[in-house]
Amino acid sequence: MTMNAPFQPGVVNLTLGSLAPTADAFGRLLIIVPKATNSLNTSRTLSIPTYAAAVAARGSGYISAATLTDIAVVFAQTNVPAQGVLLGNVDLVGSETYAEALVAITLIDPVFFLVKIASRTSADIQDVFETVEWMNDRTAAAANSVPFKRCFFVAQSADTGLLTGTFPSGLNNYVGAEWSNLSFHPTDSENLDTAHQCRLSVDLATASPGWIGWTVKNVAAYPTSSLSTTQEGFARTNHVDLLQLTTTTTGPALVCGLGENGAGRQVPEVVTGAWLATTMEVEINTLFVNLALANQQLTLTKEGQQAVAATLQSVVNTAISAGAVRATDDDGNTGYTITAIPITDADKVAKQMRFEVAVLTPIGATAIVIGLSTSTTSVV
């Protein structure tokens, strides 16, 4: 049986550190805003649990009118984040970059998953594309002196080069990017990027929302006839999200399509991989703590491996129930494997256990092809 890993092969090293994993992070959006107009009550970060709290922060002068408008988009969507929004500021006057601010904010409060920046400037976006890729790779993070942190960048640009056959060089870090999604909107003040939090403002242990054809609220449609069919085709080729007006049985709806990362992979697949890794870390950390409370320990034996394997199985079962992972493949065989790698002398020296987990993720349909024939005499 051929298995596909949850979007790419990876190693989950279970270590206790300052950036302790939490499943709550997926329901919290980080928005990085200019410090000059967003004092955040003299702090680097400010937690905004509700829209009412955002209005109060605006009334106190802690955030700008533009930031309040941005936050309004988050709370206008069908799914609203129970964890609210995390604001962090960037000192542009002091020559700090958005990428540098992201690193600094992460070290203060790492409980977030989606990242949005207030800038529509290609250089700023390009910088964050690169930094987010580093942060999601333990080796690259260490090599580039950034924290290892699972996060996903939602960017927005008005660069019409995204609608052509030649990808704009100023945004080329998006090409092949696993941990970013790029949207096009011709109006910089609109916040289509922010609206994407709608897809994660649910309990991922119980649901796996698709990123294709979801209704967008509080974001203006493109000007009439602003995009041609050819341009839409190029946007798809470039893995760029667009706003599209569609017709439903209840009337017209403004929806966002495609839902791919820079590598052309569907975002729910990436989210599933990150959620699985994070939840496995949390559950195994819990196993260690519970054993310690019971005055026991996890032994480096087959019995110890079985205890960890049971924990991993429970996480996979949760993902299956949520619809994020398939229980079986197309032939009806089990759709996942959990393998305990035999303990070696090197493992004993390192006091470690190693496992391989492979899962099958569902693929969301992006198009339906129908051959329709009509006749005045008969239909075969």
Side-chain angles (χ1 to χ4, degrees):
M1 175 174 57
T2 301
M3 304 293 297
N4 70 313
F7 87 85
Q8 65 179 29
V11 177
V12 178
N13 294 321
L14 303 179
T15 56
L16 296 177
S18 60
L19 301 184
T22 168
D24 288 344
F26 293 90
R28 196 182 193 204
L29 167 70
L30 167 64
I31 303 177
I32 305 179
V33 294
K35 181 179 180 179
T37 53
N38 296 270
S39 71
L40 306 187
N41 194 18
T42 71
S43 297
R44 169 68 92 162
T45 64
L46 180 65
S47 183
I48 303 291
T50 62
Y51 179 65
V55 172
R58 172 58 184 157
S60 299
Y62 300 155
I63 65 175
S64 68
T67 299
L68 179 60
T69 298
D70 200 3
I71 293 173
V73 172
V74 178
F75 290 101
Q77 304 309 310
T78 305
N79 300 320
V80 175
Q83 286 75 34
V85 175
L86 175 65
L87 295 178
N89 58 27
V90 53
D91 187 6
L92 299 174
V93 176
S95 299
E96 185 180 42
T97 67
Y98 277 91
E100 289 168 344
L102 171 59
V103 171
I105 292 164
T106 301
L107 294 174
I108 295 171
D109 189 343
V111 184
F112 61 86
F113 185 66
L114 283 196
V115 178
K116 177 256 169 74
I117 65 174
S119 175
R120 304 300 188 213
T121 302
S122 292
D124 293 333
I125 297 171
Q126 181 88 326
D127 225 10
V128 179
F129 280 149
E130 182 176 54
T131 299
V132 168
E133 291 296 309
W134 290 342
M135 290 175 66
N136 279 279
D137 183 293
R138 192 181 296 271
T139 301
N144 292 282
S145 301
V146 299
F148 172 65
K149 165 79 176 85
R150 296 186 187 96
C151 55
F152 193 88
F153 180 34
V154 283
Q156 179 179 314
S157 173
D159 191 330
T160 54
L162 298 171
L163 312 178
T164 69
T166 303
F167 200 90
S169 60
L171 292 168
N172 61 8
N173 281 345
Y174 182 62
V175 178
E178 290 284 358
W179 297 96
S180 293
N181 167 268
L182 178 59
S183 297
F184 173 83
H185 202 293
T187 306
D188 283 347
S189 59
E190 295 296 332
N191 295 292
L192 178 55
D193 48 357
T194 303
H196 283 75
Q197 177 60 39
C198 171
R199 311 323 296 149
L200 292 181
S201 294
V202 297
D203 183 356
L204 296 180
T206 62
S208 179
W211 283 50
I212 302 168
W214 52 281
T215 303
V216 179
K217 299 181 179 180
N218 265 34
V219 178
Y222 300 158
T224 304
S225 303
S226 61
L227 265 64
S228 68
T229 301
T230 300
Q231 288 176 315
E232 289 182 1
F234 280 129
R236 285 180 172 274
T237 300
N238 291 329
H239 313 302
V240 173
D241 266 2
L242 299 175
L243 267 183
Q244 297 173 310
L245 188 63
T246 190
T247 303
T248 71
T249 56
T250 57
L254 194 61
V255 301
C256 191
L258 207 58
E260 295 180 348
N261 65 8
R265 211 181 304 276
Q266 291 190 353
V267 177
E269 194 177 352
V270 181
V271 172
T272 294
W275 183 88
L276 282 170
T278 299
T279 307
M280 287 175 179
E281 287 184 75
V282 171
E283 292 299 325
I284 292 177
N285 286 340
T286 302
L287 173 64
F288 273 103
V289 170
N290 288 343
L291 285 172
L293 288 173
N295 297 316
Q296 299 175 20
Q297 63 178 322
L298 188 67
T299 58
L300 201 58
T301 60
K302 288 185 177 180
E303 290 74 20
Q305 286 183 316
Q306 289 172 354
V308 174
T311 300
L312 298 177
Q313 179 71 65
S314 70
V315 176
V316 172
N317 289 345
T318 298
I320 290 173
S321 297
V325 169
R326 295 176 58 181
T328 59
D329 63 15
D330 292 340
D331 298 321
N333 301 308
T334 301
Y336 61 89
T337 60
I338 300 173
T339 305
I341 299 173
I343 298 170
T344 65
D345 289 340
D347 290 328
K348 292 177 181 178
V349 171
K351 299 180 179 62
Q352 68 180 12
M353 295 181 191
R354 292 175 295 134
F355 295 82
E356 289 183 354
V357 179
V359 300
L360 289 171
T361 53
I363 300 173
T366 59
I368 307 296
V369 179
I370 301 173
L372 179 63
S373 300
T374 61
S375 172
T376 58
T377 58
S378 65
V379 177
V380 178

